C-alpha cells in the first residue's frame, strides 16, 4: 500500500505538472499570436507608407517629363513659325507656354527632398531664359525673318535647352534612384512581414500543439482544436493578404513599364511623321533635332524592354534541363550575324552540357557578345573568343573574351548593377541593364558571373554554370576503384 500510494502521488504530480505546462503553453500561444498580430499591423502600415512614397515618385517622374515635353512643344511651334511665318504654327507654341509653369508648379509642389528642390530652383531661371529667347525670336520673325534667324544662329537657345535637359536628366536620375530604393524597400518589408506572420503563426501553432498534449479532458481537447483552427485560419488569411500585396506590387511595376512605353512610341511616331511630311522643307539642324527625338524614343523603348526582361527573370519559373553550350553559342552567333560581319570570332570546342535553360542562357551570352562587339576602340575590328574551362565544385566556366577598351578594377563590380553605365550614350549606346541581366541569369541557374579586365587591355567575362550530370553518372563516379 505505501508503495502504491507513492506511485499514485508521483502520477498525480506528473499529471499536475503536465497540466501546468499545457496551460503555460496555451498562454504562450496567445501571447505569440497577439505579438505577431501587432507586429504584422505595424509592418503593413510601413508597407503602405513605402508604397505611397513609390507612387509619389512615379508621379514626380511623369511631371518631370511633362515639363520637358512642354518645352519641346514650345520649341517645335517656334521653329515652325520661324520657317513658315504663319500664325497657325504658333498654336503648339502658345499652348505649351500656357502649360509649362502650371506643370512646373505641380512638379515643385510634389518634390519634398531639399536636394531635388534645389535642382528645380536652378532650372527655373533656365526655363525663363529659354521662354524669353523663344518669345524674342517669334516677335522678330513678325518683322524680319533674318533678324529672328540671327538670334537662332547665336546658338543661345540650343545651349539653354541643353542645360535644361542636363538639369532635368540629373533630376530624373535621382528620382529613378529613389524609385529603385523605395521599390526595394517595399519588397524587403513585404518579405519581412510574410516571414514574421509565418514565424509567429508557426510558433503559436507549436505552442498550441504542446498545450494539446497536456490537456487530458475531451472538452479541453476540443477547445484546443478549435483554437488551432482559428489560428490557422488567421495565418492563412494574413498570408493571403501578403501574397495579394506582392501580386499588386508586381502588377504595379509592369503597369509602370507599359505606361512608359506608350508615350515613347508616340514620340517616335510623331517624329517619323514629321520627317516624312516636312523633311524636304527642314534644315539640317531641324532634321538633326528630329533624329535626336527618334533616337531618344528608341532608347526609351529598349530600356523598357530591358527593365521588363530583368523583372521577368526574378519572377518566372525556370525549369532546368540539359543544355549543350555549343548550341547556345551557335544560336547567339546566328542572331548576331549582321553585327559579326567584320568581326573575328573564335569559338574553342568542344563545350560541355550544363544544367540550365536555353532561352535565358542565349540572352545572357548574347549580352556578353554584344558588349564585346560594342566596347572597342574606334576604327578597330572586334575580336571575340568564346571558350570553356573547368570551374570549382562541379561548375563549368564559360568565357567571352575581347580586345576592347577594358574596365578599371574599381568599376568591375559596379557594371553588373542595373542602370550603371561607365560611358555616355554618345560614346557607346545601351541601356545599362545588359550585364545586370547576365548576373540575374547566372544566379537563377545556380551559378555566378564576373570579369577579369584592366583599362585598355580588353575584358574576359565569365559565367559559372552547373555541369549537367547524366542519370547514374554520379553513382559511377562515387564508386570505389578496384573490385573482385
Amino acid at each position: 500500500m505505501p508503495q502504491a500510494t507513492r506511485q499514485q502521488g508521483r502520477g498525480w504530480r506528473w499529471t499536475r505538472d503536465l497540466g501546468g505546462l499545457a496551460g503555460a503553453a496555451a498562454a504562450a500561444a496567445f501571447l505569440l499570436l497577439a505579438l505577431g498580430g501587432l507586429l504584422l499591423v505595424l509592418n503593413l502600415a510601413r508597407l503602405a507608407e513605402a508604397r505611397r512614397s513609390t507612387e509619389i515618385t512615379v508621379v514626380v517622374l511623369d511631371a518631370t517629363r511633362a515639363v520637358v515635353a512642354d518645352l519641346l512643344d514650345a520649341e517645335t511651334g517656334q521653329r515652325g513659325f520661324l520657317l513658315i511665318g504663319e500664325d497657325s504654327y504658333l498654336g503648339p507654341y502658345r499652348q505649351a507656354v500656357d502649360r509649362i509653369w502650371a506643370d512646373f508648379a505641380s512638379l515643385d509642389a510634389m518634390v519634398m527632398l531639399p536636394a531635388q528642390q534645389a535642382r528645380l530652383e536652378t532650372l527655373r531661371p533656365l526655363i525663363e531664359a529659354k521662354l524669353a529667347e523663344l518669345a524674342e525670336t517669334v516677335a522678330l520673325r513678325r518683322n524680319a525673318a533674318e533678324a529672328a534667324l540671327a538670334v537662332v544662329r547665336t546658338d543661345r537657345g540650343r545651349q539653354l535647352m541643353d542645360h535644361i535637359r542636363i538639369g532635368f536628366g540629373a533630376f530624373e536620375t535621382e528620382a529613378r534612384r529613389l524609385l529603385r530604393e523605395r521599390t526595394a524597400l517595399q519588397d524587403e518589408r513585404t518579405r519581412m512581414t510574410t516571414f514574421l506572420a509565418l514565424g509567429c503563426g508557426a510558433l503559436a501553432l507549436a505552442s498550441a500543439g504542446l498545450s494539446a498534449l497536456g490537456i487530458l479532458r475531451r472538452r479541453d481537447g476540443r477547445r484546443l482544436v478549435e483554437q488551432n483552427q482559428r489560428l490557422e485560419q488567421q495565418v492563412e488569411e494574413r498570408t493571403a493578404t501578403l501574397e495579394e500585396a506582392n501580386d499588386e506590387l508586381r502588377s504595379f511595376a509592369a503597369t509602370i513599364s507599359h505606361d512608359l512605353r506608350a508615350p515613347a512610341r508616340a514620340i517616335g511616331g510623331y517624329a517619323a511623321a514629321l520627317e516624312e511630311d516636312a523633311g524636304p522643307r527642314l534644315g539640317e539642324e531641324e532634321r538633326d533635332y528630329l533624329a535626336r527625338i527618334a533616337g531618344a524614343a528608341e532608347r526609351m523603348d529598349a530600356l523598357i524592354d530591358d527593365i521588363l526582361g530583368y523583372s521577368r527573370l526574378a519572377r518566372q519559373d525556370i525549369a532546368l534541363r540539359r543544355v549543350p553550350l555549343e548550341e547556345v553559342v551557335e544560336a547567339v552567333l546566328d542572331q548576331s550575324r549582321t553585327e559579326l560581319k567584320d568581326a573575328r570570332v573564335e569559338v574553342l570546342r568542344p563545350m560541355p552540357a550544363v544544367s540550365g535553360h536555353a532561352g535565358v542562357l542565349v540572352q545572357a551570352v548574347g549580352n556578353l557578345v554584344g558588349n564585346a562587339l560594342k566596347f572597342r576602340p574606334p576604327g578597330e575590328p572586334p575580336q571575340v573568343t568564346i571558350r570553356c574551362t573547368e570551374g570549382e565544385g562541379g561548375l563549368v566556366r564559360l568565357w567571352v573574351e575581347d580586345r576592347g577598351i577594358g574596365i578599371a578594377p574599381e568599376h568591375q563590380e559596379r557594371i553588373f548593377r542595373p542602370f550603371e553605365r561607365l560611358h555616355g550614350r554618345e560614346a557607346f549606346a545601351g541601356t545599362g541593364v545588359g550585364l545586370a541581366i547576365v548576373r540575374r541569369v547566372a544566379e537563377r541557374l545556380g551559378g555566378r558571373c564576373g570579369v577579369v579586365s584592366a583599362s585598355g587591355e580588353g575584358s574576359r567575362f565569365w559565367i559559372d554554370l552547373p555541369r549537367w550530370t547524366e542519370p547514374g553518372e554520379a553513382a559511377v563516379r562515387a564508386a570505389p576503384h578496384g573490385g573482385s
Side-chain angles (χ1 to χ4, degrees), residues 115-424:
Q116 292 289 73
Q117 290 176 342
R119 287 189 176 96
L120 285 183
E121 287 305 314
T122 59
L123 285 167
R124 187 188 300 272
L126 293 175
I127 295 174
E128 292 174 348
K130 178 60 181 176
L131 292 178
E133 184 264 345
L134 293 176
E136 179 186 359
T137 56
V138 168
L140 289 173
R141 178 62 178 86
R142 295 184 181 279
N143 299 322
E146 188 58 34
L149 293 176
V151 174
V152 173
R153 292 191 188 100
T154 62
D155 219 20
R156 178 163 54 91
R158 186 178 66 83
Q159 292 173 0
L160 284 170
M161 198 63 189
D162 287 343
H163 289 313
I164 291 172
R165 284 196 184 95
I166 292 171
F168 274 113
F171 183 90
E172 188 171 348
T173 298
E174 178 63 16
R176 287 185 179 280
R177 185 188 67 79
L178 290 173
L179 181 61
R180 292 195 300 272
E181 289 180 354
R182 288 167 178 172
T183 302
L185 182 62
Q186 282 182 301
D187 293 341
E188 180 182 356
R189 287 180 176 171
T190 301
R191 288 193 299 270
M192 183 173 63
T193 305
T194 303
F195 293 150
L196 181 64
L198 292 175
C200 289
L203 289 173
L205 288 173
S207 299
L210 182 61
S211 173
L213 293 176
I215 297 177
L216 303 177
R217 297 179 181 180
R218 185 177 299 177
R219 182 184 60 183
D220 294 338
R222 285 197 301 268
R223 290 177 180 174
L224 184 60
V225 170
E226 293 174 358
Q227 177 188 354
N228 286 340
Q229 290 175 347
R230 288 195 300 271
L231 291 173
E232 289 175 356
Q233 182 179 359
Q234 291 174 357
V235 170
E236 289 175 358
E237 290 175 353
R238 288 168 182 168
T239 302
T241 300
L242 293 173
E243 291 176 352
E244 183 179 354
N246 274 331
D247 290 339
E248 288 180 358
L249 289 175
R250 286 192 289 266
S251 176
F252 181 64
T255 300
I256 291 174
S257 297
H258 286 295
D259 287 348
L260 288 176
R261 171 173 282 141
R265 290 183 172 175
I267 291 171
Y270 282 127
L274 185 58
E275 171 68 22
E276 182 179 352
D277 294 343
R281 300 194 301 271
L282 297 178
E284 182 178 352
E285 185 178 8
E286 287 78 10
R287 286 195 296 272
D288 178 63
Y289 287 153
L290 280 179
R292 292 187 186 186
I293 293 171
E298 290 177 2
R299 289 195 301 272
M300 174 65 79
D301 196 57
L303 178 60
I304 292 170
D305 282 337
D306 283 348
I307 292 173
L308 286 174
Y310 183 77
S311 175
R312 198 177 300 115
L313 280 173
R315 306 192 304 269
Q316 73 180 98
D317 295 330
I318 297 180
L320 300 181
R321 54 177 58 88
R322 182 180 184 276
V323 179
L325 283 179
E326 289 191 17
E327 295 182 4
V328 172
V329 172
E330 289 299 329
V332 170
L333 297 181
D334 185 63
Q335 292 176 1
S336 308
R337 188 182 299 110
T338 303
E339 293 82 355
L340 293 169
K341 181 179 180 181
D342 299 323
R344 185 166 67 86
V345 180
E346 182 180 10
V347 180
L348 302 183
R349 296 179 172 86
M351 294 182 176
V354 297
S355 175
H357 185 280
V360 298
L361 275 176
V362 169
Q363 184 180 14
V365 177
N367 286 350
L368 293 181
V369 172
N371 270 19
L373 297 175
K374 183 195 309 179
F375 294 102
R376 55 189 173 87
E380 293 188 11
Q383 302 180 43
V384 184
T385 301
I386 305 175
R387 61 187 179 90
C388 284
T389 59
E390 289 290 335
E392 299 177 356
L395 297 176
V396 174
R397 177 162 289 188
L398 175 69
W399 295 85
V400 178
E401 305 172 343
D402 61 62
R403 304 292 187 273
I405 60 176
I407 305 164
E410 63 268 21
H411 299 311
Q412 291 177 8
E413 177 63 24
R414 172 186 161 195
I415 60 174
F416 289 98
R417 301 172 189 160
F419 308 109
E420 291 286 350
R421 296 175 56 89
L422 303 183
H423 310 279

Side-chain angles (χ1 to χ4, degrees), residues 56-106:
I56 290 173
T57 305
V58 172
V59 174
V60 167
L61 284 170
D62 290 339
T64 303
R65 296 188 194 94
V67 174
V68 175
D70 290 341
L71 282 171
L72 291 174
D73 288 345
E75 192 174 50
T76 300
Q78 175 244 22
R79 297 295 185 191
F81 180 69
L82 293 184
L83 289 172
I84 308 302
E86 297 180 3
D87 284 349
S88 59
Y89 283 85
L90 288 178
Y93 166 76
R94 293 194 181 101
Q95 292 171 4
V97 170
D98 291 340
R99 288 194 312 264
I100 188 166
W101 288 120
D103 290 342
F104 188 88
S106 299

Side-chain angles (χ1 to χ4, degrees), residues 33-56:
L33 183 60
L35 178 61
L38 176 62
L39 293 176
L40 182 61
V41 170
L42 293 175
N43 276 283
L44 285 174
R46 295 174 64 190
L47 180 62
E49 181 182 354
R51 182 175 179 179
R52 284 193 297 270
S53 299
T54 302
E55 292 172 349
I56 290 173

